Structures are given as C-alpha cells and as structure tokens.
Amino acid sequence: MVTASGRRTTTGPGDSAVLPRAAGALLAVLLLGGCGASAAREDGAADAGRRFAAALSAGDYRTGCALLAPDTREQVEEDGRTPCRTGLREAGLATAVPVRAVAVYGQEAQLRMTGDTVFLSRFDGGWLVTAAGCEARGADEPYRCAVQGG
C-alpha cells in the first residue's frame, strides 16, 4: 500500500479481510434500508387504499374525495359541474376489501383488493387515489376504470 507521503508499506495478515467485510456490511445496510423503504411505501399505499374503500363503504364520500388525486377529483367533478361527493357516489364503486396485493413502482402504486383495483400516486401529503373501479382488459391493454384522472 502507498501512504499519502508516497512511501510503500506492507499490510498485516488480517488487513486484507477488512475491506470485504466492510463492503459486505455496507451492502447489507443498503439492501435492508431499501427493503424497509419499499415496505413502508407499500404499507402507505395499502393504508390509503383501505381508507378510501372504507370511506366509500360507509357512504363517507367527503373523505373519499379528500383521498383523490387532484386530476382525479377534477374528473369526478366533471370539471366543476358536479360536486365530488355526488360524482363519486354515482360512480358506483364496489366495496373493496381486503387488500390482496400491493405493488409500488417509485411514486406509483397498484392496489388489488377483493372487488376492485385501485391506482395511487405519492404526493407531498401522502398517497392519493388516481384511479379506482379498475378492471384488467387483457395483458397488453390498459385497465378500464370507473374513476380516473385526466
């Protein structure tokens, strides 16, 4: 090894294993940190989806509207012609519980529940619903959603 002064030194027998152990520990911390962050995002998205479904099941369309992303809420309101609560009620979304699967892709999430598939996006204030009442149409086709943003 060469020191800062340019002199060559030798390493002891245990020194060569320090770097791989340190690298392994760093890798473990990064992987575990990534898994924890991913799990936290999944939990946040699932929680928002559950709250949305619970609000609709209880007929609490005010709370349901508060959980919609801005563009989605605007579409439900038919660009200001219909109150959000009325538009959400008229969408006739199915009661959707429990959560069967959640997949998070960066700031986007897909939440599959019994009776519905919901899409969410992460905003500064948390996860908001961007589309609900969604059905798969085929492997290469986009979902058809009763409620979605523009």
Side-chain angles (χ1 to χ4, degrees), residues 68-84 87-88 130 146-150:
L68 293 176
D71 286 348
T72 305
R73 183 180 177 129
E74 191 173 298
Q75 289 296 313
V76 168
E77 293 173 339
E78 297 178 19
D79 297 322
R81 293 188 303 266
T82 304
C84 181
L88 199 52
T130 56
V147 170
Q148 65 185 15

Side-chain angles (χ1 to χ4, degrees), residues 36-149:
S38 177
R41 286 194 317 264
E42 287 177 2
D43 290 346
D47 181 55
R50 280 189 206 99
R51 287 185 290 128
F52 180 74
L56 297 185
S57 294
D60 183 1
Y61 298 104
R62 181 182 307 266
T63 298
C65 287
L67 292 168
L68 293 176
D71 286 348
T72 305
R73 183 180 177 129
E74 191 173 298
Q75 289 296 313
V76 168
E77 293 173 339
E78 297 178 19
D79 297 322
R81 293 188 303 266
T82 304
C84 181
R85 294 184 310 267
T86 302
L88 199 52
R89 183 179 59 247
E90 290 175 355
L93 299 174
T95 301
V97 286
V99 173
R100 294 186 302 135
V102 61
V104 176
Y105 310 95
Q107 301 298 315
E108 307 294 321
Q110 178 190 43
L111 187 62
R112 289 187 293 151
M113 298 185 281
T114 301
D116 196 3
T117 298
V118 175
F119 292 90
L120 303 104
S121 290
R122 177 104 170 99
F123 289 83
D124 289 340
W127 289 96
L128 296 175
V129 174
T130 56
C134 301
E135 308 179 355
R137 296 191 296 176
D140 294 331
E141 296 291 320
Y143 277 73
R144 179 178 301 133
C145 300
V147 170
Q148 65 185 15

Side-chain angles (χ1 to χ4, degrees), residues 6-17:
R7 295 190 345 207
R8 184 171 293 280
T9 64
T10 59
T11 58
D15 292 346
S16 62

